[in-house]
Amino acid sequence: MGWYAVLVALVGAERLAELVVAKRNLRWSLARGGIVAGQGHYPFMVVLHTGLLAGCLIEVYAADRPFVPALGWPMLALVAASQALRWWCIRTLGHQWNTQVVVVPGLKAVTGGPYRFLRHPNYVAVVVEGLALPLVHSAWVTALVFTVLNAGLMVVRIRCEEAALTRLETA
């Protein structure tokens, strides 16, 4: 079980790295007249994603969830794939990527990289990670709760992003 705690800590460290990139990109965007939208849902998103990491560890240790190789190894591969997709999105968006919704007047919506296939590929990474990370070590309650709560959050978040993208495209 110790290796699972290391895995969750590594995902947590990756999230902290995202926040460093997001802060840098927010400064860049604001310096160019960027407008932050959708602040209402952002604190819930932070709590939900932090809760995912905590829930993984709490459930595995408190409920003594086993590592089931037939489930755990494929889920670990999906966690790795979700991280790769997330960083492909971050790299493709460059300064336009953020954990918040930020519109910079005059910039065009990005349509390269994974965005040529999907409008919101980063959310595919979030959904896959939120399901797979807990299931690496059979934390099915955490996977279920995160997935349900995240689905509601994604409805709000995607509506917010779509409105922001519409403003960007018509500016």
Side-chain angles (χ1 to χ4, degrees), residues 3-160:
W3 68 267
Y4 184 65
V6 170
L7 173 65
V8 173
L10 288 171
V11 171
E14 184 278 330
R15 292 293 174 86
L16 291 174
E18 284 181 33
L19 290 175
V20 169
V21 172
K23 287 242 185 237
R24 183 189 69 217
N25 289 347
L26 180 61
R27 284 191 303 272
W28 182 91
S29 296
L30 293 176
R32 285 153 183 80
I35 301 162
V36 180
Q39 289 292 331
H41 70 270
Y42 190 74
F44 179 74
M45 186 174 80
V46 171
V47 169
L48 182 61
H49 284 253
T50 303
L52 170 66
L53 300 176
C56 286
L57 296 176
I58 291 168
E59 183 177 353
V60 166
Y61 290 106
D64 197 28
R65 298 285 191 230
F67 175 75
V68 178
L71 176 65
W73 292 121
M75 292 301 109
L76 183 60
L78 286 175
V79 169
S82 70
Q83 297 304 319
L85 177 57
R86 174 177 286 117
W87 283 96
W88 187 19
C89 293
I90 291 169
R91 184 169 170 87
T92 300
L93 288 176
H95 289 297
Q96 289 180 272
W97 181 84
N98 210 298
T99 56
Q100 299 183 63
V101 179
V102 184
V103 176
V104 179
L107 293 182
K108 299 289 184 206
V110 173
T111 58
Y115 294 88
R116 72 178 157 236
F117 306 111
L118 295 168
R119 181 111 166 140
H120 300 282
N122 190 62
Y123 298 138
V124 172
V126 171
V127 168
V128 170
E129 179 190 70
L131 190 61
L133 182 62
L135 291 178
V136 166
H137 218 291
S138 304
W140 63 269
V141 173
T142 300
L144 179 65
V145 170
F146 178 83
T147 298
V148 169
L149 293 176
N150 189 56
L153 174 63
M154 286 297 97
V155 169
V156 172
R157 177 71 175 207
I158 289 173
R159 282 183 185 152
C160 177

